[in-house]
Amino acid sequence: GEDVEQSLFLSVREGDSSVINCTYTDSSSTYLYWYKQEPGAGLQLLTYIFSNMDMKQDQRLTVLLNKKDKHLSLRIADTQTGDSAIYFCAERRGNYQLIWGAGTKLIIKP
Amino acid sequence: KAGVTQTPRYLIKTRGQQVTLSCSPISGHRSVSWYQQTPGQGLQFLFEYFSETQRNKGNFPGRFSGRQFSNSRSEMNVSTLELGDSALYLCASSPDGREETQYFGPGTRLLVL
């Protein structure tokens, strides 16, 4: 996962917005993803963005892509305790494999 | 539709043994990918199968192998297990023509003693 970088932890207050950041290295990446993993569970696809898009919004989730800087972010509005999880950023290369970040653990403070 | 299922969910083996893990994709999905997740290395791609053919392979030694059956179910095998093979093995399937979306199973947690 060294090609995709994320902060390991993010702490936010319940009700605030969470912004999780990710940088990637391959400019030819076709899709970029955000996955959520809760303790003891598999990976849940939250959202993804095609590389020719700048932004995608889906309910409380907003994905921003800065292709020039190879920077991807996930904003979670009105963060709830159920949002506590590890969030993985991943990029899809020209073949079918996903390259993953190390994951950002989102901690919600009451 | 039922999600991706993986069996067994937990497994304990000893060094030198071999193990076979199974994955049943979502009905109608022919693409199946396998990943290894460890605390040290994170998530790493193992291989991807489509219609019984391996389409892509990650950087793992030859001890790691896989196959896919005509019903799209897939198995992965690890021979001569090492302590470092202890991990969560995740399987994901994708719908035809929509390989950009992958749906993951709960994983098989393998512990090698």
Side-chain angles (χ1 to χ4, degrees):
Chain A
E2 65 269 19
D3 291 347
V4 178
E5 295 188 353
Q6 304 177 237
S7 299
L8 292 181
F9 298 96
L10 176 66
S11 179
V12 299
R13 292 202 178 278
E14 190 176 357
D16 287 351
S17 291
S18 305
V19 179
I20 304 171
N21 295 301
C22 169
T23 57
Y24 60 100
T25 57
D26 191 340
S27 58
S28 66
S29 295
T30 53
Y31 290 91
L32 295 123
Y33 301 81
W34 286 104
Y35 280 85
K36 177 182 180 182
Q37 187 174 38
E38 294 177 273
L43 289 157
Q44 175 193 354
L45 175 62
L46 282 179
T47 186
Y48 64 95
I49 188 167
F50 188 48
S51 58
N52 69 353
M53 295 170 65
D54 299 323
M55 187 183 89
K56 182 177 180 181
Q57 190 156 359
D58 183 3
Q59 300 183 330
R60 291 192 299 124
L61 305 178
T62 304
V63 178
L64 294 177
L65 174 61
N66 181 329
K67 203 171 177 184
K68 174 176 167 291
D69 294 338
K70 299 190 187 68
H71 183 264
L72 181 75
S73 68
L74 173 70
R75 178 175 178 269
I76 305 172
D78 187 24
T79 309
Q80 303 297 310
T81 54
D83 295 324
S84 292
I86 299 176
Y87 290 82
F88 290 91
C89 166
E91 60 169 337
R92 175 177 290 279
R93 300 282 170 85
N95 52 26
Y96 294 97
Q97 64 173 293
L98 292 180
I99 307 300
W100 300 81
T104 299
K105 184 169 186 176
L106 180 61
I107 300 163
I108 315 299
K109 296 181 288 188
Chain B
K1 276 186 181 176
V4 177
T5 57
Q6 292 186 247
T7 56
R9 291 294 310 278
Y10 303 93
L11 205 49
I12 300 175
K13 291 285 188 180
T14 54
R15 276 183 302 174
Q17 286 187 309
Q18 73 153 11
V19 68
T20 300
L21 311 181
S22 179
C23 170
S24 292
I26 292 171
S27 178
H29 290 191
R30 289 189 289 172
S31 169
V32 174
S33 299
W34 287 90
Y35 295 85
Q36 181 197 63
Q37 186 178 28
T38 59
Q41 298 296 317
L43 276 150
Q44 294 184 285
F45 172 77
L46 280 155
F47 25 66
E48 188 250 354
Y49 286 87
F50 180 83
S51 230
E52 300 180 69
T53 301
Q54 186 182 85
R55 276 201 299 200
N56 198 17
K57 190 177 190 304
N59 297 324
F60 277 80
R63 299 186 298 107
F64 291 80
S65 63
R67 60 178 177 168
Q68 187 179 32
F69 300 95
S70 58
N71 62 358
S72 295
R73 189 177 69 86
S74 177
E75 287 181 348
M76 68 162 279
N77 184 76
V78 188
S79 62
T80 322
L81 283 165
E82 299 176 1
L83 296 180
D85 297 333
S86 295
L88 179 66
Y89 289 89
L90 292 161
C91 165
S93 73
S94 301
D96 286 8
R98 294 292 309 279
E99 281 85 3
E100 72 274 12
T101 53
Q102 291 192 329
Y103 299 92
F104 282 79
T108 294
R109 189 163 294 280
L110 172 65
L111 177 62
V112 182
L113 301 175

